[in-house]
Amino acid sequence: MTDNNLYQVFESEDTEEYEHYAALDIGSNSFHLVVARVVQGALQVVNKIKHKVRLAEGLDNNQYLSPEYIDRGVQTLASMTPTLSGLHHTKVRVVATHTLRRAQNAKAFQRAAKKVFPYPIDIIAGAEEARLIYVGISSGLQVLQPRLIFDIGGGSTEFAIGTSFTPDICKSISMGCVTYQKRFFKSGIITQKACEQAITMARQDLELAVRSLNKHSWEVIFASSGTAKAIAQVIHPSDTGEPEEAVNQHDLQLLLARCIEKGHAEALDFEGLSEERKPVFASGLCIMLAIFQSLRIGEYKYAANALREGVLYELQPKQTTQNICLSTAQSMAKRYHVDPQYAHNVLQTCMALYNKVKDVWEIDSANNRFILGWASLLHEVGLHINSKGIHKHSSYILANSDMPGFHQEQQQVIATLVKFHRKRIKLKEFPEFVNYDRLRLYKLLAILRIALVFNINRTESIVTGNILARDDQNIELIIENSLLEQHPLLMVDLEKEQSYLVDINIDLDITVQ
């Protein structure tokens, strides 16, 4: 076959166009980037990048991330940017875990990153991290038995139990190989006493979670990420670098004894153990032993997939997190006895208003529609507590609940819109967000508030009339006089809302025809 013939093979009309996706995990120990393409419905990894950043080391006693570590993390993100070049933002997701969850100045990190890195950073809750790890591991399994999965990270350890792709329980514990290394093995010295203290502390940290986890059953156990892989590689060296044999508690105890005998992290010259893993190996091993002892585990198998594979899996259109969000919202609505017909009416009114003003107001985006929609559906969850101060109760629930499918800033934005859905808008209490523009949020809030006025009857929506966005901060509402005759209090309610919206620099003009 000639060179021309070879070239023509790749010029064939049957050449397939591949969709590419990328997931970046900003962990407490490492930053992991995975780029994959979809081939015949399955993900095929085409590129992996890993940088050992040890972000958790930069947290001080007051949970502030030092400028040095902020810069280290941001520079790492900048170095990864060329790899993502050309990928649309809808096909890239960046998730940050324990360290940025804990950091009091996490927004400073996000803002610094925004200057050199074009994709938003989603800081996810511990339970959401556990869920995504479970999805990632499950997507690579051929087994259908009930399974326990866990992942010892740099700053936290996640657990999940389930049979299908949706876990029955998710737990996140604030203990990780980097934080334990700082606490028990800071100088690198490994002693019997330090190991015993680390194991005891880990068992104490696990105590409450164990009670919840033991209410569920499992038949197989999988552990993912660096600690689980490093331990398995040392106990069962493999030429492929992907451990296949199971690790039991006896193996772990013998390995810990070997570490104590070596006496120092730098002396851990085990086959299969990388130089970068040495400083946190003993601390991770102690956490692993504590998990075995607390949950009475017989053995674990290493799972190559983890958080980033879970993110990749849900980035695909058929596996969208919208389904997870819908399940979450339905669960919350049921738990807090939300009136489904009323919530649906508010949603419909919000979307009708949104569609009429979105272009002039420059708020047309899937994310804005997403935020507005969930705020309209869930704004009354606080009614279950008390009708007095419902907006505050609802906001608190939405800001502090585990909400699978939502990341932390999304939850906070929805909670903020709900907090100000009625009465005066206290701008001093309106928080600043990294990935959401305040003026656009004001506009979404205005839509929500106006929609609620037209649903004040609760049993059915009042026809809204025609609404026009005349400019960036001005909307005109044209109402038929016959509508006001049917609903005599509507004008009073609209004029009151008109006065409230002035606080966010939105002029509501009301014209009666």
Side-chain angles (χ1 to χ4, degrees):
M1 185 178 285
T2 65
D3 288 346
N4 285 337
N5 289 335
L6 284 170
Y7 182 75
Q8 288 171 6
V9 169
F10 294 98
E11 289 294 303
S12 167
E13 293 180 359
D14 296 329
T15 299
E16 187 175 352
E17 290 290 332
Y18 296 111
E19 292 284 348
H20 284 75
Y21 298 89
L24 174 55
D25 167 14
I26 300 179
S28 299
N29 193 37
S30 304
F31 288 14
H32 293 267
L33 173 64
V34 177
V35 181
R37 63 180 182 176
V38 178
V39 180
Q40 296 181 345
L43 282 170
Q44 183 183 81
V45 174
V46 297
N47 197 5
K48 283 187 176 183
I49 298 176
K50 175 184 174 182
H51 286 289
K52 193 72 68 174
V53 181
R54 293 208 174 92
L55 206 61
E57 290 182 355
L59 281 179
D60 63 20
N61 293 334
N62 295 315
Q63 303 303 313
Y64 278 87
L65 195 59
S66 73
E68 175 192 348
Y69 277 82
I70 289 177
D71 184 62
R72 181 189 294 191
V74 169
Q75 291 306 313
T76 301
L77 292 175
S79 72
M80 291 177 166
T81 301
T83 305
L84 299 171
S85 178
L87 283 180
H88 192 266
H89 68 89
T90 59
K91 296 179 180 179
V92 178
R93 190 177 183 201
V94 185
V95 295
T97 56
H98 179 266
T99 296
L100 288 182
R101 276 200 297 271
R102 295 290 298 275
Q104 295 293 319
N105 56 340
K107 288 182 180 178
F109 181 95
Q110 290 174 294
R111 291 191 181 101
K114 203 171 184 179
K115 296 176 182 177
V116 299
F117 187 69
Y119 301 95
I121 297 170
D122 299 338
I123 301 175
I124 57 176
E128 176 67 356
E129 181 181 357
R131 186 190 70 80
L132 287 168
I133 292 168
Y134 177 91
V135 170
I137 292 176
S138 297
S139 68
L141 297 180
Q142 303 298 319
V143 297
L144 296 176
Q145 303 106 303
R147 49 191 170 270
L148 163 69
I149 67 94
F150 65 93
D151 187 312
I152 301 171
S156 63
T157 299
E158 279 65 46
F159 298 86
I161 300 171
T163 303
S164 65
F165 273 89
T166 303
D168 298 321
I169 184 173
C170 295
K171 289 288 180 182
S172 179
I173 313 298
S174 293
M175 61 178 190
C177 61
V178 176
T179 52
Y180 266 50
Q181 182 266 333
K182 286 175 64 178
R183 184 166 185 173
F184 299 103
F185 307 97
K186 191 171 184 179
S187 61
I189 298 172
I190 304 170
T191 65
Q192 180 79 32
K193 183 178 180 181
C195 290
E196 289 175 353
Q197 289 176 333
I199 292 170
T200 300
M201 178 58 69
R203 294 199 65 175
Q204 289 176 324
D205 287 342
L206 283 164
E207 198 168 7
L208 290 176
V210 166
R211 295 176 189 174
S212 298
L213 294 170
N214 279 335
K215 293 178 182 178
H216 301 262
S217 60
W218 59 81
E219 295 176 12
V220 289
I221 301 164
F222 295 94
S224 61
S225 296
T227 291
K229 182 177 182 179
I231 290 172
Q233 280 180 323
V234 171
I235 293 173
H236 302 297
S238 169
D239 294 336
T240 65
E242 294 294 330
E244 296 181 359
E245 295 184 56
V247 173
N248 60 45
Q249 187 168 337
H250 181 65
D251 295 330
L252 298 175
Q253 289 171 331
L254 289 178
L255 181 56
L256 185 62
R258 291 172 65 192
C259 290
I260 294 170
E261 185 180 350
K262 296 287 185 181
H264 199 282
E266 293 180 2
L268 301 179
D269 53 356
F270 305 134
E271 181 183 353
L273 183 62
S274 65
E275 287 294 325
E276 62 184 17
R277 177 59 57 176
K278 286 182 179 181
V280 296
F281 187 71
S283 56
L285 180 56
C286 288
I287 293 173
M288 182 70 79
L289 265 165
I291 292 171
F292 265 68
Q293 292 170 9
S294 296
L295 290 172
R296 298 178 182 177
I297 290 174
E299 62 180 26
Y300 82 82
K301 290 185 177 180
Y302 169 69
N305 286 5
L307 172 62
R308 49 204 170 274
E309 284 76 19
V311 173
L312 276 176
Y313 183 83
E314 291 194 350
L315 270 175
Q316 299 172 76
K318 291 182 180 179
Q319 313 298 340
T320 175
T321 53
Q322 286 280 6
N323 296 329
I324 305 298
C325 292
L326 178 60
S327 177
T328 296
Q330 289 173 335
S331 175
M332 292 190 75
K334 184 177 180 180
R335 186 190 319 158
Y336 295 108
H337 306 290
V338 171
D339 180 342
Q341 186 58 57
Y342 170 69
H344 182 70
N345 289 345
V346 174
L347 173 65
Q348 282 193 316
T349 308
C350 274
M351 290 302 115
L353 295 173
Y354 174 86
N355 287 331
K356 290 180 179 178
V357 302
K358 63 182 182 179
D359 294 328
V360 174
W361 271 8
E362 297 182 345
I363 56 172
D364 186 15
S365 76
N367 206 10
N368 286 339
R369 187 182 290 269
F370 175 91
I371 293 295
L372 179 61
W374 295 121
S376 63
L377 285 171
L378 298 172
H379 74 279
E380 277 201 334
V381 291
L383 188 61
H384 185 64
I385 298 174
N386 198 317
S387 59
K388 185 178 180 180
I390 178 180
H391 53 305
K392 295 179 182 178
H393 300 319
S394 295
S395 178
Y396 181 84
I397 290 171
L398 292 170
N400 293 282
S401 296
D402 284 336
M403 294 179 64
F406 296 83
H407 61 76
Q408 283 190 337
E409 193 168 50
Q410 281 177 338
Q411 279 189 238
Q412 297 301 321
V413 169
I414 294 169
T416 298
L417 292 181
V418 168
K419 181 179 180 178
F420 298 109
H421 81 261
R422 61 196 294 265
K423 298 191 175 182
R424 285 224 166 267
I425 304 166
K426 299 177 181 178
L427 295 185
K428 290 183 178 179
E429 296 179 13
F430 204 101
E432 292 289 342
F433 298 101
V434 176
N435 297 313
Y436 294 85
D437 177 73
R438 177 183 277 250
L439 295 180
R440 287 190 173 89
L441 290 182
Y442 285 166
K443 293 170 183 176
L444 296 181
L445 178 60
I447 292 170
L448 176 63
R449 291 177 66 107
I450 294 170
L452 289 169
V453 171
F454 282 101
N455 283 276
I456 204 164
N457 188 19
R458 295 193 68 86
T459 56
E460 60 179 346
S461 296
I462 299 172
V463 179
T464 58
N466 190 24
I467 190 166
L468 304 171
R470 293 209 298 237
D471 57 45
D472 193 46
Q473 293 178 307
N474 187 290
I475 50 177
E476 180 181 12
L477 185 61
I478 303 171
I479 301 178
E480 296 290 336
N481 188 57
S482 58
L483 183 64
L484 296 178
E485 291 175 354
Q486 295 174 36
H487 305 279
L489 295 179
L490 178 59
M491 181 58 81
V492 176
D493 292 328
L494 284 171
E495 287 176 345
K496 183 186 291 185
E497 190 56 45
Q498 189 179 45
S499 67
Y500 287 154
L501 292 179
V502 170
D503 291 339
I504 53 176
N505 296 319
I506 290 180
D507 296 323
L508 173 62
D509 293 335
I510 304 168
T511 301
V512 180
Q513 291 184 344

